[in-house]
Amino acid sequence: MNDKKPCDPVINVKVTVRKTSDGSYEATYDPKIIQVNDSDAILNFKLVNPTPDYVVIKSVSINPEDQDQLSAPSISKNGKQVTLSDVNSSNGTFNLSFKYGNKHERLVMSMATTAALTTVYPEIENNPP
């Protein structure tokens, strides 16, 4: 008989940051909507090609701020990856706002939108088991 506890589920999200024709930056997330269906899920966001090598993740904030489902995001030392956990014990929808920067400069690029009717991606949807 196998008494080992199954591994916590890991959900990988690919993050691509591109410079637009007007000089600003735009991030896309794959998937844009993250369906979490297991308890104690680990969410892993990683910058992927064709993201320029100089782009790094500076910070991540969670909305709503007073939620109790997602852990504080942990950014890797090289700034290319963010990990957080989701207890997924109650239904809910959460948005993440990423701030990106140039690893060679202090410039920070915000990818969050402030428009009230615009959905901010990525979006996390909790669907407890």
Side-chain angles (χ1 to χ4, degrees):
M1 180 174 277
N2 188 352
D3 290 335
K4 289 184 179 179
K5 180 184 175 200
C7 293
D8 292 334
V10 176
I11 299 171
N12 292 304
V13 180
K14 296 175 187 174
V15 181
T16 305
V17 178
R18 291 188 174 107
K19 195 170 191 175
T20 63
S21 59
D22 68 0
S24 64
Y25 288 84
E26 178 179 82
T28 56
Y29 304 90
D30 181 20
K32 287 199 280 187
I33 300 175
I34 303 152
Q35 299 288 334
V36 181
N37 300 310
D38 296 304
S39 297
D40 301 316
I42 297 168
L43 307 179
N44 188 44
F45 297 82
K46 186 173 184 179
L47 292 174
V48 297
N49 284 330
T51 300
D53 184 57
Y54 62 83
V55 173
V56 293
I57 302 164
K58 291 292 190 180
S59 67
V60 180
S61 58
I62 301 169
N63 186 22
E65 291 179 20
D66 63 348
Q67 56 81 32
D68 64 355
Q69 296 293 296
L70 304 176
S71 69
S74 173
I75 300 173
S76 64
K77 282 195 176 245
N78 69 359
K80 301 290 185 180
Q81 188 168 295
V82 171
T83 304
L84 55 94
S85 61
D86 185 345
V87 295
N88 194 20
S89 62
S90 63
N91 286 316
T93 301
F94 310 96
N95 295 103
L96 301 181
S97 295
F98 284 73
K99 286 195 179 180
Y100 300 89
N102 184 328
K103 69 180 177 182
H104 303 295
E105 301 172 10
R106 293 183 158 215
L107 173 67
V108 174
M109 304 163 273
S110 179
M111 300 298 165
T113 179
T114 56
L117 299 176
T118 302
T119 302
V120 178
Y121 293 108
E123 184 175 281
I124 299 168
E125 290 188 4
N126 272 9
N127 306 301

